[in-house]
Structures are given as structure tokens and as C-alpha cells.
PDB file of all heavy atoms in Angstrom:
ATOM      1  N   PRO A  24     130.066  78.419 101.376  1.00  0.00           N
ATOM      2  CA  PRO A  24     131.049  77.732 100.435  1.00  0.00           C
ATOM      3  C   PRO A  24     131.445  76.365 101.082  1.00  0.00           C
ATOM      4  O   PRO A  24     131.843  75.481 100.269  1.00  0.00           O
ATOM      5  CB  PRO A  24     132.258  78.667 100.364  1.00  0.00           C
ATOM      6  CG  PRO A  24     132.187  79.422 101.691  1.00  0.00           C
ATOM      7  CD  PRO A  24     130.624  79.643 101.851  1.00  0.00           C
ATOM      8  N   GLY A  25     131.349  76.198 102.379  1.00  0.00           N
ATOM      9  CA  GLY A  25     131.699  74.819 102.860  1.00  0.00           C
ATOM     10  C   GLY A  25     130.788  73.754 102.447  1.00  0.00           C
ATOM     11  O   GLY A  25     131.237  72.589 102.312  1.00  0.00           O
ATOM     12  N   PHE A  26     129.506  74.041 102.369  1.00  0.00           N
ATOM     13  CA  PHE A  26     128.448  73.059 101.904  1.00  0.00           C
ATOM     14  C   PHE A  26     128.086  73.206 100.501  1.00  0.00           C
ATOM     15  O   PHE A  26     127.373  72.434  99.878  1.00  0.00           O
ATOM     16  CB  PHE A  26     127.232  73.116 102.847  1.00  0.00           C
ATOM     17  CG  PHE A  26     127.558  72.737 104.299  1.00  0.00           C
ATOM     18  CD1 PHE A  26     127.778  73.708 105.159  1.00  0.00           C
ATOM     19  CD2 PHE A  26     127.506  71.490 104.559  1.00  0.00           C
ATOM     20  CE1 PHE A  26     128.094  73.421 106.497  1.00  0.00           C
ATOM     21  CE2 PHE A  26     127.734  71.033 105.951  1.00  0.00           C
ATOM     22  CZ  PHE A  26     127.997  72.033 106.842  1.00  0.00           C
ATOM     23  N   GLY A  27     128.547  74.396  99.836  1.00  0.00           N
ATOM     24  CA  GLY A  27     128.136  74.584  98.429  1.00  0.00           C
ATOM     25  C   GLY A  27     126.795  74.829  98.235  1.00  0.00           C
ATOM     26  O   GLY A  27     126.038  74.568  97.267  1.00  0.00           O
ATOM     27  N   THR A  28     125.978  75.469  99.288  1.00  0.00           N
ATOM     28  CA  THR A  28     124.544  75.658  99.247  1.00  0.00           C
ATOM     29  C   THR A  28     124.253  77.137  99.463  1.00  0.00           C
ATOM     30  O   THR A  28     125.123  77.958  99.919  1.00  0.00           O
ATOM     31  CB  THR A  28     123.833  74.891 100.318  1.00  0.00           C
ATOM     32  OG1 THR A  28     124.446  75.277 101.689  1.00  0.00           O
ATOM     33  CG2 THR A  28     124.001  73.424 100.139  1.00  0.00           C
ATOM     34  N   GLY A  29     123.101  77.520  99.126  1.00  0.00           N
ATOM     35  CA  GLY A  29     122.647  78.888  99.249  1.00  0.00           C
ATOM     36  C   GLY A  29     122.753  79.668  97.921  1.00  0.00           C
ATOM     37  O   GLY A  29     123.045  79.138  96.915  1.00  0.00           O
ATOM     38  N   GLN A  30     122.368  80.960  98.044  1.00  0.00           N
ATOM     39  CA  GLN A  30     122.349  81.845  96.935  1.00  0.00           C
ATOM     40  C   GLN A  30     123.581  82.809  97.000  1.00  0.00           C
ATOM     41  O   GLN A  30     123.837  83.535  97.945  1.00  0.00           O
ATOM     42  CB  GLN A  30     121.032  82.690  97.015  1.00  0.00           C
ATOM     43  CG  GLN A  30     120.887  83.703  95.942  1.00  0.00           C
ATOM     44  CD  GLN A  30     120.982  83.230  94.484  1.00  0.00           C
ATOM     45  OE1 GLN A  30     121.874  83.416  93.707  1.00  0.00           O
ATOM     46  NE2 GLN A  30     119.892  82.246  94.140  1.00  0.00           N
ATOM     47  N   LYS A  31     124.265  82.873  95.772  1.00  0.00           N
ATOM     48  CA  LYS A  31     125.501  83.789  95.679  1.00  0.00           C
ATOM     49  C   LYS A  31     125.006  85.194  95.318  1.00  0.00           C
ATOM     50  O   LYS A  31     125.856  86.218  95.692  1.00  0.00           O
ATOM     51  CB  LYS A  31     126.384  83.200  94.656  1.00  0.00           C
ATOM     52  CG  LYS A  31     127.093  81.950  94.925  1.00  0.00           C
ATOM     53  CD  LYS A  31     128.101  81.415  93.911  1.00  0.00           C
ATOM     54  CE  LYS A  31     128.729  80.270  94.270  1.00  0.00           C
ATOM     55  NZ  LYS A  31     129.778  79.882  93.134  1.00  0.00           N
ATOM     56  N   ASN A  32     123.895  85.412  94.769  1.00  0.00           N
ATOM     57  CA  ASN A  32     123.473  86.747  94.277  1.00  0.00           C
ATOM     58  C   ASN A  32     122.513  87.414  95.266  1.00  0.00           C
ATOM     59  O   ASN A  32     121.828  86.746  96.076  1.00  0.00           O
ATOM     60  CB  ASN A  32     122.828  86.607  92.892  1.00  0.00           C
ATOM     61  CG  ASN A  32     123.732  86.043  91.918  1.00  0.00           C
ATOM     62  OD1 ASN A  32     124.833  86.552  91.773  1.00  0.00           O
ATOM     63  ND2 ASN A  32     123.314  84.972  91.201  1.00  0.00           N
ATOM     64  N   THR A  33     122.518  88.753  95.120  1.00  0.00           N
ATOM     65  CA  THR A  33     121.486  89.512  95.917  1.00  0.00           C
ATOM     66  C   THR A  33     120.229  89.375  95.047  1.00  0.00           C
ATOM     67  O   THR A  33     120.288  89.538  93.823  1.00  0.00           O
ATOM     68  CB  THR A  33     121.932  91.024  95.990  1.00  0.00           C
ATOM     69  OG1 THR A  33     123.024  91.034  96.810  1.00  0.00           O
ATOM     70  CG2 THR A  33     120.756  91.752  96.612  1.00  0.00           C
ATOM     71  N   ILE A  34     119.086  89.009  95.634  1.00  0.00           N
ATOM     72  CA  ILE A  34     117.755  88.918  95.023  1.00  0.00           C
ATOM     73  C   ILE A  34     116.917  89.966  95.247  1.00  0.00           C
ATOM     74  O   ILE A  34     116.612  90.413  96.418  1.00  0.00           O
ATOM     75  CB  ILE A  34     117.080  87.564  95.311  1.00  0.00           C
ATOM     76  CG1 ILE A  34     118.106  86.324  94.978  1.00  0.00           C
ATOM     77  CG2 ILE A  34     115.772  87.439  94.612  1.00  0.00           C
ATOM     78  CD1 ILE A  34     117.462  85.018  95.380  1.00  0.00           C
ATOM     79  N   VAL A  35     116.334  90.648  94.196  1.00  0.00           N
ATOM     80  CA  VAL A  35     115.448  91.764  94.343  1.00  0.00           C
ATOM     81  C   VAL A  35     113.991  91.404  93.867  1.00  0.00           C
ATOM     82  O   VAL A  35     113.847  90.751  92.796  1.00  0.00           O
ATOM     83  CB  VAL A  35     115.941  93.016  93.499  1.00  0.00           C
ATOM     84  CG1 VAL A  35     114.991  94.166  93.577  1.00  0.00           C
ATOM     85  CG2 VAL A  35     117.373  93.435  93.998  1.00  0.00           C
ATOM     86  N   ARG A  36     113.089  91.770  94.669  1.00  0.00           N
ATOM     87  CA  ARG A  36     111.647  91.456  94.314  1.00  0.00           C
ATOM     88  C   ARG A  36     110.909  92.849  94.415  1.00  0.00           C
ATOM     89  O   ARG A  36     111.163  93.592  95.370  1.00  0.00           O
ATOM     90  CB  ARG A  36     111.053  90.437  95.196  1.00  0.00           C
ATOM     91  CG  ARG A  36     111.582  89.053  95.017  1.00  0.00           C
ATOM     92  CD  ARG A  36     111.218  88.460  93.607  1.00  0.00           C
ATOM     93  NE  ARG A  36     111.567  87.105  93.515  1.00  0.00           N
ATOM     94  CZ  ARG A  36     112.727  86.864  92.644  1.00  0.00           C
ATOM     95  NH1 ARG A  36     113.347  87.808  92.129  1.00  0.00           N
ATOM     96  NH2 ARG A  36     113.189  85.443  92.607  1.00  0.00           N
ATOM     97  N   LEU A  37     110.090  93.153  93.488  1.00  0.00           N
ATOM     98  CA  LEU A  37     109.253  94.349  93.548  1.00  0.00           C
ATOM     99  C   LEU A  37     108.170  94.155  94.544  1.00  0.00           C
ATOM    100  O   LEU A  37     107.386  93.215  94.650  1.00  0.00           O
ATOM    101  CB  LEU A  37     108.570  94.610  92.115  1.00  0.00           C
ATOM    102  CG  LEU A  37     107.849  95.834  92.032  1.00  0.00           C
ATOM    103  CD1 LEU A  37     108.621  97.124  92.151  1.00  0.00           C
ATOM    104  CD2 LEU A  37     107.132  95.889  90.669  1.00  0.00           C
ATOM    105  N   ASP A  38     108.091  95.262  95.446  1.00  0.00           N
ATOM    106  CA  ASP A  38     107.091  95.236  96.523  1.00  0.00           C
ATOM    107  C   ASP A  38     106.332  96.529  96.459  1.00  0.00           C
ATOM    108  O   ASP A  38     106.814  97.528  95.857  1.00  0.00           O
ATOM    109  CB  ASP A  38     107.753  95.109  97.806  1.00  0.00           C
ATOM    110  CG  ASP A  38     106.817  94.686  98.996  1.00  0.00           C
ATOM    111  OD1 ASP A  38     105.572  94.322  98.674  1.00  0.00           O
ATOM    112  OD2 ASP A  38     107.341  94.457 100.133  1.00  0.00           O
ATOM    113  N   SER A  39     105.234  96.647  97.058  1.00  0.00           N
ATOM    114  CA  SER A  39     104.432  97.882  97.123  1.00  0.00           C
ATOM    115  C   SER A  39     103.474  97.970  98.218  1.00  0.00           C
ATOM    116  O   SER A  39     103.221  96.968  98.842  1.00  0.00           O
ATOM    117  CB  SER A  39     103.563  97.974  95.695  1.00  0.00           C
ATOM    118  OG  SER A  39     102.674  96.919  95.748  1.00  0.00           O
ATOM    119  N   ASP A  40     103.111  99.242  98.623  1.00  0.00           N
ATOM    120  CA  ASP A  40     102.105  99.467  99.661  1.00  0.00           C
ATOM    121  C   ASP A  40     101.185 100.615  99.225  1.00  0.00           C
ATOM    122  O   ASP A  40     101.623 101.500  98.411  1.00  0.00           O
ATOM    123  CB  ASP A  40     102.888  99.946 100.939  1.00  0.00           C
ATOM    124  CG  ASP A  40     103.672  98.933 101.607  1.00  0.00           C
ATOM    125  OD1 ASP A  40     103.235  97.853 101.802  1.00  0.00           O
ATOM    126  OD2 ASP A  40     104.846  99.252 101.922  1.00  0.00           O
ATOM    127  N   TYR A  41      99.992 100.395  99.636  1.00  0.00           N
ATOM    128  CA  TYR A  41      98.991 101.504  99.403  1.00  0.00           C
ATOM    129  C   TYR A  41      99.016 102.611 100.424  1.00  0.00           C
ATOM    130  O   TYR A  41      99.257 102.206 101.659  1.00  0.00           O
ATOM    131  CB  TYR A  41      97.550 100.982  99.219  1.00  0.00           C
ATOM    132  CG  TYR A  41      97.394 100.071  98.026  1.00  0.00           C
ATOM    133  CD1 TYR A  41      97.100  98.704  98.351  1.00  0.00           C
ATOM    134  CD2 TYR A  41      97.323 100.548  96.854  1.00  0.00           C
ATOM    135  CE1 TYR A  41      96.827  97.819  97.194  1.00  0.00           C
ATOM    136  CE2 TYR A  41      97.061  99.659  95.748  1.00  0.00           C
ATOM    137  CZ  TYR A  41      96.849  98.239  96.031  1.00  0.00           C
ATOM    138  OH  TYR A  41      96.599  97.510  94.834  1.00  0.00           O
ATOM    139  N   TYR A  42      98.877 103.835 100.082  1.00  0.00           N
ATOM    140  CA  TYR A  42      98.785 104.902 101.077  1.00  0.00           C
ATOM    141  C   TYR A  42      97.529 105.768 100.657  1.00  0.00           C
ATOM    142  O   TYR A  42      97.225 105.970  99.480  1.00  0.00           O
ATOM    143  CB  TYR A  42     100.057 105.794 101.185  1.00  0.00           C
ATOM    144  CG  TYR A  42     101.180 105.082 101.832  1.00  0.00           C
ATOM    145  CD1 TYR A  42     102.050 104.237 101.090  1.00  0.00           C
ATOM    146  CD2 TYR A  42     101.431 105.324 103.174  1.00  0.00           C
ATOM    147  CE1 TYR A  42     103.067 103.663 101.709  1.00  0.00           C
ATOM    148  CE2 TYR A  42     102.521 104.769 103.761  1.00  0.00           C
ATOM    149  CZ  TYR A  42     103.426 103.846 103.022  1.00  0.00           C
ATOM    150  OH  TYR A  42     104.400 103.256 103.637  1.00  0.00           O
ATOM    151  N   VAL A  43      96.834 106.266 101.695  1.00  0.00           N
ATOM    152  CA  VAL A  43      95.748 107.250 101.398  1.00  0.00           C
ATOM    153  C   VAL A  43      96.376 108.670 101.960  1.00  0.00           C
ATOM    154  O   VAL A  43      96.677 108.670 103.094  1.00  0.00           O
ATOM    155  CB  VAL A  43      94.490 106.914 102.042  1.00  0.00           C
ATOM    156  CG1 VAL A  43      93.393 108.005 101.950  1.00  0.00           C
ATOM    157  CG2 VAL A  43      93.956 105.663 101.441  1.00  0.00           C
ATOM    158  N   VAL A  44      96.255 109.651 101.105  1.00  0.00           N
ATOM    159  CA  VAL A  44      96.798 110.999 101.432  1.00  0.00           C
ATOM    160  C   VAL A  44      95.556 111.789 101.709  1.00  0.00           C
ATOM    161  O   VAL A  44      94.831 112.073 100.747  1.00  0.00           O
ATOM    162  CB  VAL A  44      97.687 111.556 100.416  1.00  0.00           C
ATOM    163  CG1 VAL A  44      98.275 112.903 100.981  1.00  0.00           C
ATOM    164  CG2 VAL A  44      98.878 110.598 100.190  1.00  0.00           C
ATOM    165  N   SER A  45      95.470 112.388 102.959  1.00  0.00           N
ATOM    166  CA  SER A  45      94.273 113.276 103.206  1.00  0.00           C
ATOM    167  C   SER A  45      94.778 114.482 103.914  1.00  0.00           C
ATOM    168  O   SER A  45      95.520 114.338 104.922  1.00  0.00           O
ATOM    169  CB  SER A  45      93.236 112.583 104.062  1.00  0.00           C
ATOM    170  OG  SER A  45      92.213 113.440 104.499  1.00  0.00           O
ATOM    171  N   ASN A  46      94.385 115.688 103.521  1.00  0.00           N
ATOM    172  CA  ASN A  46      94.984 116.907 104.086  1.00  0.00           C
ATOM    173  C   ASN A  46      96.533 116.892 104.090  1.00  0.00           C
ATOM    174  O   ASN A  46      97.088 117.288 105.135  1.00  0.00           O
ATOM    175  CB  ASN A  46      94.408 117.088 105.501  1.00  0.00           C
ATOM    176  CG  ASN A  46      92.873 117.280 105.421  1.00  0.00           C
ATOM    177  OD1 ASN A  46      92.383 117.969 104.540  1.00  0.00           O
ATOM    178  ND2 ASN A  46      92.192 116.685 106.435  1.00  0.00           N
ATOM    179  N   GLY A  47      97.079 116.279 103.165  1.00  0.00           N
ATOM    180  CA  GLY A  47      98.544 116.347 103.095  1.00  0.00           C
ATOM    181  C   GLY A  47      99.256 115.204 103.931  1.00  0.00           C
ATOM    182  O   GLY A  47     100.535 115.154 104.009  1.00  0.00           O
ATOM    183  N   LYS A  48      98.528 114.424 104.613  1.00  0.00           N
ATOM    184  CA  LYS A  48      99.113 113.451 105.481  1.00  0.00           C
ATOM    185  C   LYS A  48      98.822 112.034 105.047  1.00  0.00           C
ATOM    186  O   LYS A  48      97.642 111.606 104.738  1.00  0.00           O
ATOM    187  CB  LYS A  48      98.424 113.529 106.928  1.00  0.00           C
ATOM    188  CG  LYS A  48      98.879 114.795 107.645  1.00  0.00           C
ATOM    189  CD  LYS A  48      98.188 114.940 109.062  1.00  0.00           C
ATOM    190  CE  LYS A  48      98.514 116.250 109.794  1.00  0.00           C
ATOM    191  NZ  LYS A  48      97.869 116.277 111.139  1.00  0.00           N
ATOM    192  N   PRO A  49      99.811 111.134 104.764  1.00  0.00           N
ATOM    193  CA  PRO A  49      99.661 109.878 104.348  1.00  0.00           C
ATOM    194  C   PRO A  49      99.444 108.771 105.318  1.00  0.00           C
ATOM    195  O   PRO A  49     100.051 108.965 106.448  1.00  0.00           O
ATOM    196  CB  PRO A  49     101.144 109.499 103.632  1.00  0.00           C
ATOM    197  CG  PRO A  49     102.077 110.291 104.537  1.00  0.00           C
ATOM    198  CD  PRO A  49     101.186 111.625 104.935  1.00  0.00           C
ATOM    199  N   GLU A  50      98.630 107.863 105.167  1.00  0.00           N
ATOM    200  CA  GLU A  50      98.359 106.739 106.098  1.00  0.00           C
ATOM    201  C   GLU A  50      98.447 105.442 105.243  1.00  0.00           C
ATOM    202  O   GLU A  50      97.768 105.346 104.263  1.00  0.00           O
ATOM    203  CB  GLU A  50      96.996 106.814 106.761  1.00  0.00           C
ATOM    204  CG  GLU A  50      96.948 107.978 107.856  1.00  0.00           C
ATOM    205  CD  GLU A  50      95.782 107.959 108.692  1.00  0.00           C
ATOM    206  OE1 GLU A  50      95.036 106.847 108.734  1.00  0.00           O
ATOM    207  OE2 GLU A  50      95.495 108.879 109.422  1.00  0.00           O
ATOM    208  N   LYS A  51      99.163 104.513 105.811  1.00  0.00           N
ATOM    209  CA  LYS A  51      99.216 103.260 105.053  1.00  0.00           C
ATOM    210  C   LYS A  51      97.889 102.582 105.060  1.00  0.00           C
ATOM    211  O   LYS A  51      97.045 102.688 106.016  1.00  0.00           O
ATOM    212  CB  LYS A  51     100.260 102.320 105.805  1.00  0.00           C
ATOM    213  CG  LYS A  51     100.734 101.138 104.992  1.00  0.00           C
ATOM    214  CD  LYS A  51     101.859 100.369 105.662  1.00  0.00           C
ATOM    215  CE  LYS A  51     102.334  99.339 104.809  1.00  0.00           C
ATOM    216  NZ  LYS A  51     103.565  98.632 105.512  1.00  0.00           N
ATOM    217  N   PHE A  52      97.600 101.941 103.948  1.00  0.00           N
ATOM    218  CA  PHE A  52      96.187 101.527 103.778  1.00  0.00           C
ATOM    219  C   PHE A  52      96.175 100.031 103.310  1.00  0.00           C
ATOM    220  O   PHE A  52      96.707  99.651 102.278  1.00  0.00           O
ATOM    221  CB  PHE A  52      95.555 102.281 102.611  1.00  0.00           C
ATOM    222  CG  PHE A  52      94.171 101.979 102.199  1.00  0.00           C
ATOM    223  CD1 PHE A  52      93.110 102.325 103.179  1.00  0.00           C
ATOM    224  CD2 PHE A  52      93.874 101.183 101.166  1.00  0.00           C
ATOM    225  CE1 PHE A  52      91.843 102.065 102.760  1.00  0.00           C
ATOM    226  CE2 PHE A  52      92.515 100.834 100.830  1.00  0.00           C
ATOM    227  CZ  PHE A  52      91.476 101.195 101.693  1.00  0.00           C
TER     228      PHE A  52
END
């Protein structure tokens, strides 16, 4: 507020990761 700069809102972006599940165990891919 002192400089009147920056973002007042929380910003949400969609992100994702791939995983491979083998024998019930996930590994990031």
C-alpha cells in the first residue's frame, strides 16, 4: 500500500503432474 504496487488478489493457476502407477505404487513421470 505504501507504493501502490503489487497484486491485491490471490492468483490461482492450474498445474498438473504425470504419474505412472505400477503394482499399486505411483512414481512421478
Side-chain angles (χ1 to χ4, degrees):
F26 293 95
T28 59
Q30 176 59 247
K31 293 182 178 181
N32 298 308
T33 297
I34 300 176
V35 178
R36 293 287 180 262
L37 183 65
D38 200 4
S39 62
D40 293 307
Y41 295 112
Y42 288 85
V43 174
V44 183
S45 177
N46 296 321
K48 296 180 180 180
E50 287 191 16
K51 198 170 183 178
F52 181 76

